[in-house]
Amino acid sequence: MTARELTYAQAVQEALAQAMDADPSVFLMGEDIGIYGGAFQVTGDLVHRYGEERVMDAPISELGQAGVAVGAALAGCKPVLEFQFSDFATLAMEQIVNQAAKLRFMLGGKVHVPLVMRFPAGSGTGAAAQHSQSLDAWFAHVPGLKVIQPATPADAKGMLLSAIDDPDPVMVFEHKLLYKMKGEVPEQPYRVPIGKADVARQGIDVTVVATGIMVHRALEASTHLAAEGIEAEVIDLRSLRPIDTATIVKSVKKTTRLACVYEGVKTLGIGAEISARIAESEAFDHLDAPILRLGGAETPIPYNPVLEKAAVPQVPDIVAGLRALVRGRI
């Protein structure tokens, strides 16, 4: 496949366009996704290419948007609903958690809800506590939902196309700071499977399971640690539901140490689930140190830029944590 360099945002837009070209039942909904091109300019000029009937600006009612999207999915369409900020999903919990996630089960498999929801998520833009949260673990708790978090432009395209193909609801968390990140992306349509982690870096001393932007911070931290003789294996989780437990277990059995790095609040975050799975697996007997969780602080995200950075793991935090873990200081 021919590859060229695209930003993460361009990769998402290309996936949307290719899905709409291939299937007339695919349409887009969301606040300001039409003429304005989306709050983060991801939908861009798609309204000019496909018209307002397939790229629909929605009113400021997330509950209403989600209800329309669920209904459209039940009627045979494949809606892709963009929430302007992931935080706004809190306004649509009834439709997401009680309807989209449950209807196939409650109706004995006679219906499906092929709905994709996209969520610009995370901190780092100075948007303060109501626009900067990482709520992916909330939704990964709910049976009936799939939850993915692509960390690269290539995965952003391939996983979104897989999500649109899926007959059940898929929630796609896209970290806002990644939208301008560039990487090689094949031009033709392709799929990256949901539920399969990626070993982004090989190592022998410690396994680092990271999500979203933390994958890149973990990789940068690993470069610093390599100069000290510490080789970290970095796993890009990619999918929070389902979780690729087998890849993590295999890595931990090799490295004998595990660190979980994620932006969401540490307590009851995705790192707790990963830690529990390792504790319940054959990898537990291979551990030479306690499991380390590096998650967000127990606080709403501050507006102040210095405090905002302090509220979530940064590269120096990851370096210090992994160094202490490998050298037996934890």
Side-chain angles (χ1 to χ4, degrees):
M1 291 190 290
T2 304
R4 66 269 112 98
E5 196 171 71
L6 295 181
T7 66
Y8 190 112
Q10 289 170 334
V12 172
Q13 183 181 132
E14 185 167 88
L16 294 172
Q18 290 179 349
M20 295 173 79
D21 287 339
D23 187 345
S25 71
V26 177
F27 72 94
L28 314 183
M29 288 178 57
E31 294 171 20
D32 294 328
I33 68 166
I35 298 299
Y36 186 67
F40 297 93
Q41 298 300 299
V42 175
T43 46
D45 67 346
L46 292 181
V47 68
H48 300 295
R49 295 159 62 181
Y50 298 99
E52 294 182 355
E53 290 187 355
R54 296 188 70 191
V55 182
M56 297 191 298
D57 276 326
I60 303 176
S61 172
E62 282 73 17
L63 181 62
Q65 295 170 33
V68 169
V70 170
L74 289 169
C77 295
K78 292 184 177 180
V80 180
L81 173 59
E82 176 183 315
F83 286 78
Q84 198 168 71
F85 288 83
S86 66
D87 316 66
F88 300 169
T90 58
L91 297 162
M93 293 293 278
E94 157 64 21
Q95 290 296 330
I96 297 171
V97 173
N98 284 336
Q99 304 302 328
K102 294 178 171 59
L103 284 171
R104 178 166 69 87
F105 299 89
M106 295 180 71
L107 296 176
K110 294 181 179 179
V111 302
H112 287 272
V113 185
L115 164 62
V116 174
M117 291 164 277
R118 295 182 40 248
F119 300 92
S123 65
T125 63
Q130 296 170 330
H131 298 72
S132 303
Q133 298 171 86
S134 297
L135 302 177
D136 41 87
W138 280 22
F139 296 100
H141 180 74
V142 180
L145 299 176
K146 293 184 175 75
V147 180
I148 62 176
Q149 197 168 15
T152 67
D155 282 351
K157 177 179 175 179
M159 296 192 80
L160 180 54
L161 286 172
S162 291
I164 294 171
D165 289 344
D166 200 287
D168 296 310
V170 182
M171 309 185 76
V172 187
F173 285 84
E174 304 163 356
H175 199 287
K176 299 189 287 285
L177 292 184
L178 293 179
Y179 280 136
K180 294 182 180 180
M181 175 191 173
K182 292 184 177 181
E184 286 196 354
V185 179
E187 185 172 354
Q188 299 91 335
Y190 62 93
R191 270 68 178 170
V192 174
I194 294 172
K196 181 63 178 174
D198 177 52
V199 180
R201 186 186 192 278
Q202 297 281 346
I204 59 172
D205 295 313
V206 57
T207 297
V208 184
V209 180
T211 59
I213 196 169
M214 293 300 164
V215 173
H216 303 284
R217 292 179 186 171
L219 289 169
E220 185 177 345
S222 298
T223 300
H224 290 293
L225 290 167
E228 303 176 16
I230 297 173
E231 293 294 338
E233 181 150 296
V234 178
I235 296 177
D236 177 357
L237 191 60
R238 296 202 291 198
S239 176
L240 281 70
R241 179 183 275 268
I243 291 177
D244 182 3
T245 305
T247 293
I248 304 169
V249 167
K250 180 180 178 181
S251 177
V252 171
K253 289 170 69 175
K254 175 178 69 172
T255 67
T256 72
R257 297 175 182 87
L258 171 64
C260 305
V261 185
Y262 50 104
E263 183 166 333
V265 174
K266 177 181 175 180
T267 300
L268 298 177
I270 191 64
E273 176 64 25
I274 294 166
S275 300
R277 291 189 181 215
I278 292 302
E280 294 168 350
S281 77
E282 66 270 25
F284 179 75
D285 289 334
H286 293 259
L287 287 173
D288 287 336
I291 297 172
L292 173 66
R293 287 182 295 154
L294 292 172
E298 305 291 320
T299 180
I301 298 295
Y303 170 71
N304 178 284
V306 176
L307 296 177
E308 182 182 30
K309 281 190 174 183
V312 300
Q314 304 294 328
V315 172
D317 304 315
I318 301 171
V319 170
L322 296 183
R323 182 190 293 125
L325 182 62
V326 171
R327 293 182 178 173
R329 298 173 185 167
I330 293 178

